């Protein structure tokens, strides 16, 4: 935890120092401005990855803390016992998610900007699992394919995988 915290602050210090060097007349010139925005976007992405890793470490530390309490240890012991089954379900879910996202990217990528790249398609498919489904936008692109895609999406990602999690 302390290592992640120090890494984050070291990265922020580097970023601040890097921006201080660019302040002045150089940043106001037109040819340097887009490069500076690309650098800011890259550093924000790296900082997001560092924060995501830090959240994972904090979650693991919380589970370790729960194991110390006798009543709450039931939760951690259940997770330990079901870890192989949960890993198998997660692997099946990821494979199905990628397959549906690829189908969405191929079908709707040329018309809908949210499906233009595979990463965007994967993100929107995951949002669809959470309930944010853009059925009308899909139907404007392909009237006949959309009901089939929506049905497969619902059956595979939501009903079957939810049923597998409940029975596991």
């Amino acid at each position: 935890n302390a290592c992640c915290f120090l890494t984050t602050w070291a990265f922020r210090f580097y970023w601040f120092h890097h921006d201080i060097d660019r302040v002045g007349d150089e940043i106001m010139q037109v040819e340097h401005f887009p490069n500076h925005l690309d650098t800011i976007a890259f550093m924000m992405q790296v900082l997001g990855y560092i924060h995501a890793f830090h959240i994972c470490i904090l979650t693991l530390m919380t589970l370790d803390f729960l194991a110390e309490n006798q009543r709450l240890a039931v939760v951690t012991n259940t997770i330990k016992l079901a870890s192989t089954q949960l890993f198998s379900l997660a692997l099946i879910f990821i494979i199905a998610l990628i397959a549906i996202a690829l189908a969405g990217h191929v079908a709707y990528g040329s018309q809908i900007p949210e499906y233009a790249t595979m990463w965007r398609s994967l993100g929107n498919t995951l949002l669809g699992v959470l309930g944010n489904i853009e059925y009308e936008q899909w139907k404007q692109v392909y009237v006949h394919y959309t009901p089939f895609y929506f049905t497969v999406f619902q059956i595979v990602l939501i009903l079957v995988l939810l049923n597998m999690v409940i029975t596991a």
Side-chain angles (χ1 to χ4, degrees):
N1 190 19
C3 184
C4 286
F5 180 76
L6 291 175
T7 303
T8 303
W9 278 103
F11 185 77
R12 286 183 181 181
F13 179 74
Y14 167 75
W15 187 1
F16 180 73
H17 178 68
H18 181 70
D19 283 346
I20 291 294
D21 291 342
R22 299 191 83 147
V23 172
D25 294 332
E26 179 183 316
I27 199 168
M28 299 308 282
Q29 295 175 1
V30 175
E31 62 269 1
H32 292 288
F33 192 65
N35 293 335
H36 186 66
L37 288 179
D38 291 340
T39 304
I40 290 173
F42 173 73
M43 289 189 177
M44 282 297 293
Q45 188 175 13
V46 170
L47 193 60
Y49 289 141
I50 291 171
H51 285 306
F53 181 72
H54 193 207
I55 288 171
C56 291
I57 296 295
L58 287 175
T59 303
L60 291 175
M61 289 176 60
T62 303
L63 288 175
D64 188 42
F65 175 73
L66 290 176
E68 299 298 325
N69 188 334
Q70 186 177 5
R71 285 183 160 177
L72 297 176
V74 174
V75 174
T76 56
N77 290 336
T78 304
I79 291 173
K80 285 179 187 176
L81 291 174
S83 63
T84 56
Q85 293 158 344
L86 289 174
F87 179 75
S88 300
L89 290 175
L91 186 65
I92 291 170
F93 177 76
I94 289 171
I95 290 170
L97 184 75
I98 290 172
I100 298 292
L102 183 61
H105 172 64
V106 169
Y108 304 110
S110 62
Q111 301 292 323
I112 302 174
E114 288 86 8
Y115 292 90
T117 65
M118 185 59 193
W119 286 110
R120 286 183 182 178
S121 179
L122 190 63
N124 280 343
T125 305
L126 190 57
L127 286 174
V129 170
L130 297 175
N132 186 14
I133 296 174
E134 304 153 348
Y135 186 77
E136 292 301 322
Q137 191 176 13
W138 295 344
K139 198 164 185 169
Q140 289 176 357
V141 177
Y142 289 116
V143 176
H144 301 294
Y145 176 72
T146 298
F148 173 73
Y149 179 74
F150 180 73
T151 304
V152 169
F153 181 86
Q154 289 292 321
I155 289 172
V156 171
L157 287 181
I158 296 175
L159 296 178
V160 172
L161 292 175
L162 183 64
N163 189 21
M164 289 170 61
V165 168
I166 289 172
T167 58

